[in-house]
Amino acid sequence: MSRFSLLSAAFVFSGFSALAAPRPVAPPDSIGVEYRNNKMLIKHRVAPGETLYGLARRYKVPVEQIVEANPSLKGALVTNQIVLVPRNRVVMTAPASTRPAATAAPTTATRSLPTDARGNRVYKVEAGQTLFSIARKFGTSPAELARLNGVTTSYNVRLGETIIVAGAPATRPEPAAPVAAAPRPATRPERADDTAEREREARETREREARERAREAAPAPTPTTPVEDDRERAPERANEIVRRVSENGLAMVIPTDASDKYLALHKTAPVGTIMQVRNIMNGQSVYVRVIGKLPDTGENSNVLVRLSKKAVQRLATPDQRFRVETSYVP
C-alpha cells in the first residue's frame, strides 16, 4: 500500500514539473513567432523610422539572414510591415523607446571635446561626415546620437552643424519621501491618418533633398559649351512610373576611374541611363550615368553596380563593398 502511494506521488510531481517547464517566449517587441524548417522566426511589426540595419542591430542578426528569411523584402521597410527575424541565442536589446535614458561614460575621444552651457560634449560636423560615421568616431551608436539631439537615425547632418556627442554627467538626486502614485492621464491614441501624414512629409523631404543634391552635382553651364544634364528627368507619363526598375545589392568603386563625374557600370541598364543610387546604410543618394556594361565575371559576379570615385565619395561610405538600392527607367 505504501509503495502504491509513493508511485502515485511521483507521477503527480512529474506532471507538475512538466507543466512548469520553460517554453520559448517571444521578445517583448514582437507580435509572435513562427516555426519553419525546425527554425524559430520572430514576427516583428515595423515601426515608423525603422530600417533593415536597425532590426539587425536590435536582434543581433546579420542583415543577410533577415533578407534570406524574407525573399520578398526589397528596399526600405514600410510601417506596419511584418518582417521575420531568425532567432539567435543571444540577449535581446530592448527598443530605444522602452529603454530608460542613461548617460554613457565619456570616452577618451569625447573628453577632449568642448562643452555647452548644460555640460554636454558637443562636436562640429566636418565635410563628408554622417551621423553613422560620427557615432563610430566617438565609440557610440547612431541611435544614441539621435536621442541626444532629438532627431531620427536617418537625419542628414550638415557641414558646420554642432551636435551633442555625450550628455552631461547625471547628478544623483536626493531620496525623496514616498508619495502615492498618481493615476496616469489617458493619452489620445495615435490615429492612422497622423502616421500616414508624417510618412508623406518624410518622403517629400527625402525627394526634395535628392533633387537638391542632384542639382548641386551637375556642372555649371557655360555660354559656349552645352552641358549634359546628369539629373534624372521626372516621369511625365504613367507608363514610365510603372516601368521604373528598382534593385538592391552590393556596390564597389570602378578601379580604373580617373574622372570627376558621377558615372556607373551596370549589368543590365542601357548605356546612357540616368540612375539613382541610394546608400542603404545612411540614406545618402546620388544620380549617375551608366557608361558601360559590367561583366558578370570574377569579383563582379556578386556586385550589382560599380561607381566612379566621385559618386562613392558622394555616398559617404568608408567601406570597399556596401549595400545600395538602384532605381531607373529603362
Side-chain angles (χ1 to χ4, degrees), residues 48 187-196 198:
T187 58
R188 182 177 65 86
E190 185 178 12
R191 297 181 301 175
D193 55 350
D194 294 340
T195 303
R198 285 200 302 271

Side-chain angles (χ1 to χ4, degrees), residues 215-232:
R215 189 178 301 111
E216 294 174 358
T222 60
T224 58
T225 304
V227 179
E228 292 185 18
D229 188 3
D230 286 344
R231 293 173 291 174
E232 183 180 14

Side-chain angles (χ1 to χ4, degrees), residues 14-313:
S14 62
F16 281 112
S17 300
L19 292 175
R23 298 180 179 179
V25 179
D29 59 347
S30 68
I31 61 173
V33 296
E34 177 180 325
Y35 292 90
R36 184 184 300 172
N37 297 328
N38 295 326
K39 192 175 190 179
M40 187 172 76
L41 302 173
I42 300 171
K43 293 182 178 179
H44 178 85
R45 188 186 302 277
V46 177
E50 284 189 319
T51 63
L52 191 61
Y53 285 87
L55 293 183
R57 288 194 298 269
R58 175 181 299 178
Y59 289 95
K60 307 291 188 198
V61 177
V63 175
E64 289 74 13
Q65 293 187 14
I66 300 179
V67 174
E68 182 180 356
N70 301 267
S72 61
L73 189 63
K74 293 183 179 179
L77 301 180
V78 181
T79 302
N80 293 327
Q81 179 182 6
I82 305 301
V83 178
L84 300 178
V85 182
R87 175 62 165 165
N88 288 345
R89 296 177 179 269
V90 295
V91 178
M92 292 294 300
T93 58
S97 58
T98 60
R99 287 200 302 267
T103 302
T107 62
T108 305
T110 57
R111 289 193 185 97
S112 60
L113 295 176
T115 58
D116 59 7
R118 298 183 179 180
N120 299 315
R121 299 284 181 175
V122 295
Y123 174 73
K124 182 174 290 186
V125 179
E126 298 177 354
Q129 288 186 321
T130 63
L131 202 67
F132 178 81
S133 62
I134 295 174
R136 184 167 55 183
K137 177 181 178 69
F138 293 102
T140 183
S141 65
E144 178 65 13
L145 293 183
R147 184 187 67 81
L148 291 173
N149 293 274
V151 298
T152 62
T153 53
S154 60
Y155 176 74
N156 292 328
V157 295
R158 297 181 295 275
L159 175 64
E161 179 182 4
T162 300
I163 65 172
I164 300 174
V165 174
T171 57
R172 180 176 299 177
E174 297 183 358
V179 296
R184 180 178 298 178
T187 58
R188 182 177 65 86
E190 185 178 12
R191 297 181 301 175
D193 55 350
D194 294 340
T195 303
E197 180 67 18
R198 285 200 302 271
E199 293 179 355
R200 184 184 62 81
E201 293 177 356
R203 183 171 60 254
E204 292 178 352
T205 300
R206 290 194 298 268
E207 293 176 354
R208 183 171 60 256
E209 292 177 352
R211 290 193 296 269
E212 292 176 356
R213 287 194 295 268
R215 189 178 301 111
E216 294 174 358
T222 60
T224 58
T225 304
V227 179
E228 292 185 18
D229 188 3
D230 286 344
R231 293 173 291 174
E232 183 180 14
R233 178 178 57 86
E236 301 175 355
R237 298 184 298 273
N239 60 349
E240 292 185 358
I241 301 177
V242 175
R243 294 173 56 242
R244 177 173 291 275
V245 178
S246 296
E247 301 173 301
N248 58 47
L250 294 177
M252 294 183 67
V253 69
I254 302 175
T256 59
D257 173 65
S259 66
D260 58 349
K261 295 184 178 181
Y262 300 94
L263 308 174
L265 298 177
H266 195 270
K267 293 181 179 179
T268 57
V271 175
T273 299
I274 300 300
M275 175 182 298
Q276 181 186 15
V277 181
R278 185 176 69 87
N279 188 344
I280 297 180
M281 178 65 71
N282 55 24
Q284 295 284 351
S285 298
V286 65
Y287 288 86
V288 299
R289 180 183 296 276
V290 177
I291 60 171
K293 181 177 178 62
L294 180 65
D296 193 8
T297 58
E299 189 179 23
N300 294 330
S301 60
N302 296 325
V303 176
L304 173 64
V305 63
R306 280 188 179 267
L307 306 172
S308 62
K309 295 179 181 179
K310 186 75 172 179
V312 174
Q313 182 181 4

